[in-house]
Amino acid sequence: MYTQAEQAALKAPKSGLQNRLLFHLAHKFSDEKKLMSSHQNLQDVTEDQLSLASIHYMRSHYQEAIDIYKRILLDNREYLALNVYVALCYYKLDYYDVSQEVLAVYLQQVPDSTIALNLKACNHFRLYNGKAAEAELKNLTDSASSSFEFGKELIKHNLVVFRGGEGALQVLPPLVDVIPEARLNLVIYYLQQDDVQEAYNLIKDLEPTAPQEYILKGVVNAALGQEMGSRDHLKIAQQFFQLVGESASECDTIPGRQCMSSCFFLLRQFPNVLIYLNSIKSYFYNNDTFNFNYAQAKAAMGNFSEAEEVFLLIQSEKIKSDFVYLSWLARCYIMNKKPQLAWKLYLKMETSGDSFNLLQLIANDCYKMRQFYYSAKAFDILERLDNNPEYWEGKRGACVGVFQMILAGREAKETLREVLHLLKSTGNSQVEYIVRVMKKWAKENRVPV
């Protein structure tokens, strides 16, 4: 009912209260001209400055809000609640430890405040984990005070987040239009369940106003674009990430730098990806998702040794079974002269389209790196699965390559027996001549075949 509120406010006599009301309505209407007009009419009085600070907060200008609150607190120590506002701003800036310190001032005086205890729990969630956060809320949820009743829905919502999405489908849908974050957290839940389409349906009509909303729309569009092979969705994702990463309020935050790395990742500009990821990697040493992206960027730049190390830090079984992970790790092994480890990755896979694609990668990359033995083995299986003449040509070249390596003393002579076995499995007229040459050499050099 903002329109009716504005009409009623305009009928009132000019005053500081009228101006503050019109100031906030201009923000709700996203009317920059009216917003600046009301801004110019603000005075250096507490009520007007608090109003300005709240607008700064809602526009994600958290440092500006902090500066105003601190200035007011210097002259009005009794305004204890302002410490909660300052703590909330620090929380939004990712300074969770500073937020805790400021919040403690208020909680010493008002220990049962639902809002303050909830914020403390959220800080613990960011600093430690969900269990630590939930423990902070336990006393609050056990009480039946009117303060808890006031924040009951918020607490229920946050407990879902603290518990890693447990109970999300029961708790979050009714709160989607009550608590703004409920929609976002439900979208995150769907993404975690790999239900990308449901996540997209929930967020597609949301007009983002805060960095987190832009980021989440970017993530959903990126996931959908990759799933559907849609360049349009990937382009939208890249633009959202760039918008956040280049904004004055986010460019020097961790999420802002993550956004720029994601933007450049989608543009396949990996030198720039690494600039941003290197600047924040100390915060994500044990984060599997970060390491997955970091390792891919390293590998794309040809830093295969470092990429292999980072890939092997990953613990998530879901990521480790992903073909992108397996194919990049196999390539790293091959480029780092460990083709036998790449071959082991293939042997552990079940027969599928992905295992066929990994075989092709091993066959071709090993050939390029003159690791002919494993190239020959891979081409041999490819030839059996698909009677494509290119696979025979690859196998023939790899087998001759192994023979050359034996002649040069860079491959064990015993390997020749297996090479001959691979060649004989092909019904091609060229096989007989190649086998005859190899056997002749073996006989002359007393190599049992």
Side-chain angles (χ1 to χ4, degrees):
M1 298 176 72
Y2 297 133
T3 303
Q4 294 93 316
E6 184 182 44
Q7 290 168 353
L10 289 170
K11 290 176 185 176
K14 286 190 182 299
S15 65
L17 177 59
Q18 183 206 46
N19 184 60
R20 290 193 294 274
L21 183 55
L22 292 174
F23 188 37
H24 280 262
L25 285 166
H27 168 70
K28 293 295 184 185
F29 291 133
S30 300
D31 190 326
E32 288 294 312
K33 191 174 178 182
K34 286 182 179 179
L35 188 82
M36 294 313 296
S37 174
S38 295
H39 188 182
Q40 289 168 359
N41 293 328
L42 293 173
Q43 305 296 312
D44 190 14
V45 296
T46 301
E47 291 86 347
D48 282 7
Q49 290 304 302
L50 287 173
S51 181
L52 176 58
S54 69
I55 291 292
H56 277 314
Y57 178 86
M58 288 187 284
R59 288 163 72 88
S60 302
H61 302 158
Y62 303 117
Q63 190 57 57
E64 290 87 341
I66 289 170
D67 293 342
I68 293 172
Y69 290 136
K70 283 188 172 180
R71 198 165 63 242
I72 294 172
L73 273 167
L74 277 175
D75 298 324
N76 304 274
R77 294 280 180 188
E78 70 277 13
Y79 291 178
L80 279 175
L82 293 191
N83 288 292
V84 180
Y85 299 165
V86 173
L88 195 52
C89 289
Y90 278 124
Y91 174 84
K92 291 288 190 178
L93 287 171
D94 299 340
Y95 295 130
Y96 308 117
D97 47 354
V98 181
S99 176
Q100 286 291 75
E101 289 175 19
V102 177
L103 198 58
V105 176
Y106 181 76
L107 281 169
Q108 282 176 352
Q109 302 295 322
V110 191
D112 64 344
S113 164
T114 299
I115 296 300
L117 287 171
N118 177 65
L119 179 55
K120 185 181 180 183
C122 292
N123 278 325
H124 275 246
F125 179 63
R126 296 295 187 180
L127 289 167
Y128 310 114
N129 52 45
K131 283 189 175 179
E134 193 174 344
E136 287 298 321
L137 286 185
K138 190 168 190 328
N139 292 335
L140 193 60
T141 53
D142 287 347
S143 73
S145 66
S146 58
S147 173
F148 173 64
E149 284 302 313
F150 152 72
K152 184 188 276 187
E153 303 299 343
L154 180 63
I155 304 302
K156 284 169 63 178
H157 166 275
N158 286 355
L159 282 172
V160 169
V161 178
F162 298 161
R163 292 167 179 167
E166 183 184 319
L169 294 180
Q170 290 74 41
V171 175
L172 299 184
L175 300 178
V176 162
D177 295 318
V178 179
I179 298 172
E181 290 83 359
R183 180 183 297 274
L184 306 183
N185 283 314
L186 190 54
V187 169
I188 291 168
Y189 174 79
Y190 283 131
L191 286 175
Q192 290 172 336
Q193 302 303 310
D194 291 328
D195 195 343
V196 179
Q197 189 61 55
E198 200 61 48
Y200 178 72
N201 293 341
L202 195 58
I203 206 171
K204 65 181 178 181
D205 296 325
L206 175 74
E207 285 298 327
T209 56
Q212 292 81 1
E213 293 169 355
Y214 281 101
I215 292 169
L216 197 52
K217 285 205 81 161
V219 170
V220 171
N221 275 282
L224 193 64
Q226 288 172 326
E227 190 173 273
M228 296 172 58
S230 166
R231 295 175 68 88
D232 289 340
H233 284 294
L234 292 175
K235 180 68 175 174
I236 291 168
Q238 178 255 312
Q239 290 170 339
F240 277 134
F241 291 141
Q242 188 170 2
L243 197 65
V244 175
E246 290 183 345
S247 69
S249 64
E250 297 298 312
C251 63
D252 287 326
T253 66
I254 292 172
R257 294 186 179 196
Q258 284 178 294
C259 280
M260 286 311 297
S261 70
S262 298
C263 166
F264 286 123
F265 204 108
L266 292 174
L267 291 170
R268 305 189 68 76
Q269 295 177 13
F270 295 107
N272 290 329
V273 172
L274 288 174
I275 288 171
Y276 282 97
L277 292 184
N278 280 325
S279 73
I280 57 174
K281 69 176 182 179
S282 60
Y283 298 94
F284 293 98
Y285 181 76
N286 289 318
N287 185 294
D288 285 342
T289 303
F290 177 88
N291 284 333
F292 188 30
N293 291 327
Y294 189 50
Q296 286 179 77
K298 284 279 188 186
M301 287 298 297
N303 298 335
F304 295 108
S305 180
E306 291 177 42
E308 180 188 329
E309 287 179 22
V310 180
F311 274 125
L312 294 176
L313 290 174
I314 294 170
Q315 299 297 312
S316 165
E317 291 302 324
K318 182 180 176 184
I319 292 176
K320 287 162 74 173
S321 62
D322 189 305
F323 179 70
V324 174
Y325 173 89
L326 292 167
S327 58
W328 271 118
L329 182 57
R331 175 159 287 166
C332 288
Y333 282 148
I334 293 165
M335 298 302 165
N336 295 333
K337 300 178 182 178
K338 303 172 186 174
Q340 70 281 6
L341 296 180
W343 188 249
K344 279 184 180 178
L345 287 178
Y346 163 71
L347 292 177
K348 288 178 183 176
M349 293 181 75
E350 294 181 10
T351 303
S352 65
D354 284 346
S355 66
F356 187 82
N357 291 333
L358 188 64
L359 263 182
Q360 289 184 308
L361 183 148
I362 292 171
N364 290 300
D365 278 11
C366 282
Y367 198 100
K368 281 187 279 188
M369 295 300 292
R370 301 181 64 78
Q371 295 160 2
F372 296 117
Y373 174 65
Y374 286 99
S375 177
K377 284 166 73 78
F379 274 124
D380 178 59
I381 296 176
L382 286 168
E383 186 188 31
R384 296 174 196 226
L385 295 171
D386 181 356
N387 193 21
N388 185 326
E390 287 185 4
Y391 296 141
W392 154 245
E393 289 167 12
K395 184 168 92 168
R396 179 189 63 196
C399 287
V400 171
V402 175
F403 186 49
Q404 287 177 328
M405 300 290 268
I406 292 170
L407 294 179
R410 292 167 62 189
E411 183 74 63
K413 293 177 181 178
E414 292 74 24
T415 312
L416 188 60
R417 179 180 293 172
E418 190 171 352
V419 169
L420 288 167
H421 177 72
L422 293 175
L423 284 168
K424 289 175 183 177
S425 67
T426 301
N428 189 293
S429 57
Q430 298 171 354
V431 170
E432 190 178 336
Y433 172 72
I434 299 170
V435 167
R436 191 162 63 246
V437 170
M438 289 181 177
K439 280 188 171 181
K440 182 173 181 287
W441 177 87
K443 186 177 180 182
E444 289 171 358
N445 289 273
R446 298 178 179 178
V447 176
V449 292

